[in-house]
Amino acid sequence: MPPLVRRNLCILLVLLAVCAALGGLLLAAPMLRLAAPVLVAARAALVALLLAAIGLALAGGKGLKRSYAEIASVLAVLAAQEGAGPAPDVDGLDPEVVSPAVYEPLSTIGERINTLTRQRDEQKLAGRLSQKRSRHLEAVLRGLPDAAIVTDAMDRIVLLNQAAFRLLRLPAVDVKAMALTDCIPDRALCDLLRGAHALPACREVEHCVEDEDGKRLFSVTIAPLVGQSPQDHCGAVALLHDVTRERTAARMKTEFVADASHELRTPLGGIKAYLEMLIDGEVKDDETRTRFYRVMQGEVDRLSNLVDNILNIARIEAGIVKIVKQNVPLTAIVQEVVEAMQPQARTVGIRLEHDVLPLFFHVYADHEMLRRAVFNLVSNALKYTPAGGSVSVRMHVDEATGNVTVDVSDTGVGIGEQDLPRLFQKFFRVESSKKMAKGTGLGLVLVKEVVESLHGGRVAVTSTIGKGSTFSMTLPLVAEKQPVLATA
Ligand code: ADP
């Protein structure tokens, strides 16, 4: 009991005992025959003592009430610890009124609360920081161009970025906490993610995705997500990187090397055979010898043409070709090519005609490259047109687009619809026309590269098997040189 309370109680008890004694004295007064003044004094003393006792009780009660109200407020704060600030100052309690048995534990609890509050604030701050970091990480994953899938230890979706939604063609719904197999229809991919828990480290595998757009090959990096200890598996992550183009390019490169070697070997084989016959003295007459030299010369030309084409295509593709662009009259180039090819056309009995624009139609181009492209188209038309046929080269301008087009049409063998899409692929030759003329399957590739990659133009082809083909190259005209339309 607090000292002040104890002292007040003692005084109260003494007062009450004296009051009882006086009361007894007054009750026994008739028997004791006390004098009247004594009785009056005893009554007055009794009243005074009673009043003092009442006053003391009231004052003590008030003090106690105030102190216990303080304790109540401290306890109320303790009870509502969550969300409370620092504990109230226990020193504010009057140790005279509050007993040490209450005061000391209260003070310890107050300190403990202050420590806990501080720790809680620190934890809150650390939590906010880690939330911020995880949001940042999530933003990185969401922004990745590669598809990212994150699962938890129970194989439920934690995160699926936009690229993953697109790749898996999923509707834009909230998939968080969905079972992996309910969300992702690709069973093989689900198995990869489920198997990731047992992996000691990240692993890279190839995975094929097939949809309406065709087959696409992905390099999938899967990694287990571990917690504090390596045994604490808390999920898996998979990143899917589209490697279709890289793989296609690698395959094309291998095919190109194989095709190029094959194409180089054919003329080399011919040269070697004729040379061996000449060296072995198998050729006795000059006429045969001259014929052999001519054949070898033709094969050497073919070889040099092939190497030139390969080099030019490779340089254009690598972006290192040296070209000098200037305003050139396209008509002059077409005329130059047609005139150069006339003797060959006459030899094989083909009518070669041209219908060109006036000279003032200019294109901004490399003269030699453009000449080569036109030459390849006219040369093909002559090669794949049987004797008695005709080849015509026409030019026209599209005023609306400001483009000029050169059409090379023939009445030749034509190209089947199934072969048209492959026509501009390296080394592609239409099987049925191979016996008509020697070729490399690179001429049209060069035309396309020159017109489209180097000059921003367009190449097109229309063909009917047995009737003939028209190859067109369209280029932008030089604006300031455009005159009023006229054809020659
Ligand atoms: P090539 O050296 O074989 O002529 P190109 O790349 O110039 O190589 O042509 C590829 C193939 O396209 C040819 O082998 C031929 O089958 C076909 N081709 C090209 N031009 C014509 C044409 N005017 N008429 C018919 N077929 C053609």
Side-chain angles (χ1 to χ4, degrees):
M1 190 182 292
L4 184 69
V5 176
R6 205 182 310 128
R7 199 176 61 226
N8 284 354
L9 271 178
C10 287
I11 296 169
L12 196 62
L13 283 175
V14 172
L15 284 175
L16 288 174
V18 177
C19 284
L22 281 174
L25 190 70
L26 286 172
L27 284 175
M31 281 186 299
L32 295 174
R33 292 181 195 186
L34 292 173
V38 174
L39 282 176
V40 171
R43 265 190 217 110
L46 183 60
V47 171
L49 285 173
L50 277 175
L51 285 175
I54 291 166
L56 190 66
L58 280 176
K62 250 187 196 166
L64 271 178
K65 200 175 162 192
R66 201 175 53 247
S67 295
Y68 285 104
E70 298 263 340
I71 295 171
S73 79
V74 172
L75 290 175
V77 172
L78 296 188
Q81 260 182 53
E82 269 307 310
D89 193 3
V90 184
D91 296 344
L93 296 177
D94 185 352
E96 284 291 294
V97 178
V98 182
S99 84
V102 174
Y103 179 83
E104 273 156 29
L106 268 184
S107 154
T108 315
I109 289 171
E111 272 165 31
R112 180 89 188 107
I113 287 180
N114 279 339
T115 313
L116 286 174
T117 309
R118 212 172 33 252
Q119 283 174 353
R120 185 203 56 195
D121 288 348
E122 281 166 12
Q123 274 170 4
K124 264 188 188 168
L125 197 70
R128 259 188 240 130
L129 261 174
S130 108
Q131 259 179 13
K132 208 171 164 188
R133 264 192 227 121
S134 100
R135 273 202 299 271
H136 189 249
L137 202 66
E138 220 175 287
V140 170
L141 279 177
R142 286 193 192 285
L144 274 182
D146 291 340
I149 305 166
V150 184
T151 57
D152 64 11
M154 308 293 288
D155 292 319
R156 287 174 307 213
I157 301 287
V158 174
L159 184 139
L160 220 66
N161 70 356
Q162 283 305 311
F165 269 95
R166 275 197 302 276
L167 168 69
L168 302 166
R169 292 170 189 269
L170 297 176
V173 290
D174 186 10
V175 291
K176 222 171 209 160
M178 236 173 131
L180 184 63
T181 43
D182 290 345
C183 172
I184 297 176
D186 186 333
R187 288 283 159 267
L189 187 59
C190 292
D191 289 346
L192 280 177
L193 271 152
R194 279 197 300 225
H197 299 298
L199 291 176
C202 90
R203 198 178 135 208
E204 219 175 297
V205 285
E206 285 202 342
H207 179 70
C208 188
V209 174
E210 202 169 351
D211 50 35
E212 302 99 77
D213 297 342
K215 267 187 184 178
R216 278 181 296 161
L217 194 66
F218 286 85
S219 162
V220 187
T221 308
I222 34 170
L225 296 176
V226 284
Q228 304 289 345
S229 72
Q231 287 74 36
D232 178 16
H233 291 290
C234 49
V237 59
L239 285 176
L240 289 90
H241 178 64
D242 193 339
V243 290
T244 320
R245 270 166 70 184
E246 281 105 307
R247 294 291 187 280
T248 312
R251 202 190 58 241
M252 278 169 72
K253 214 164 153 186
T254 315
E255 281 173 10
F256 175 79
V257 172
D259 289 342
S261 328
H262 175 77
E263 291 303 324
L264 288 168
R265 200 177 289 139
T266 315
L268 273 176
I271 297 168
K272 192 171 171 239
Y274 283 104
L275 262 179
E276 275 169 5
M277 282 192 277
L278 287 168
I279 293 167
D280 293 348
E282 284 178 33
V283 184
K284 306 287 178 220
D285 59 305
D286 284 350
E287 199 187 321
T288 314
R289 198 172 292 116
T290 313
R291 193 163 53 81
F292 276 23
Y293 286 143
R294 289 238 169 83
V295 173
M296 286 196 311
Q297 192 182 28
E299 292 299 328
V300 169
D301 286 347
R302 196 175 154 205
L303 258 182
S304 120
N305 194 28
L306 180 68
V307 172
D308 276 357
N309 277 343
I310 291 177
L311 278 178
N312 276 325
I313 292 167
R315 282 196 194 117
I316 295 172
E317 282 180 345
I320 53 165
V321 68
K322 282 194 193 113
I323 52 167
V324 184
K325 280 191 185 175
Q326 53 194 356
N327 289 353
V328 289
L330 190 55
T331 298
I333 294 175
V334 171
Q335 276 173 335
E336 190 185 326
V337 171
V338 171
E339 272 155 32
M341 306 293 281
Q342 278 300 359
Q344 188 189 333
R346 272 196 292 275
T347 315
V348 290
I350 294 171
R351 202 171 65 250
L352 174 59
E353 54 193 23
H354 67 293
D355 182 0
V356 290
L357 292 168
L359 273 172
F360 45 69
F361 284 102
H362 282 65
V363 288
Y364 186 63
D366 180 286
H367 186 286
E368 178 49 27
M369 284 290 178
L370 224 49
R371 194 198 61 79
R372 224 173 247 267
V374 178
F375 175 90
N376 281 3
L377 292 186
V378 179
S379 158
N380 276 353
L382 292 176
K383 276 196 320 194
Y384 302 106
T385 300
S390 66
V391 172
S392 68
V393 186
R394 288 198 168 77
M395 291 174 75
H396 55 93
V397 165
D398 181 342
E399 266 189 291
T401 57
N403 287 332
V404 59
T405 302
V406 179
D407 289 328
V408 180
S409 307
D410 62 57
T411 57
V413 288
I415 301 153
E417 215 171 299
Q418 72 286 357
D419 290 324
L420 285 176
R422 301 176 61 200
L423 219 51
F424 296 94
Q425 281 176 12
K426 285 179 196 128
F427 301 108
F428 176 76
R429 302 195 71 207
V430 177
E431 209 50 52
S432 57
S433 60
K434 271 186 183 169
K435 49 190 173 305
M436 281 193 81
K438 285 187 175 173
T440 59
L442 289 176
L444 288 179
V445 182
L446 190 71
V447 172
K448 197 172 171 70
E449 289 290 349
V450 167
V451 174
E452 298 189 353
S453 304
L454 294 184
H455 293 94
R458 205 164 11 90
V459 174
V461 56
T462 55
S463 188
T464 311
I465 206 136
K467 286 197 169 169
S469 319
T470 297
F471 284 81
S472 312
M473 48 187 267
T474 302
L475 291 160
L477 275 170
V478 177
E480 69 271 20
K481 294 269 179 179
Q482 276 185 41
V484 181
L485 271 185
T487 43

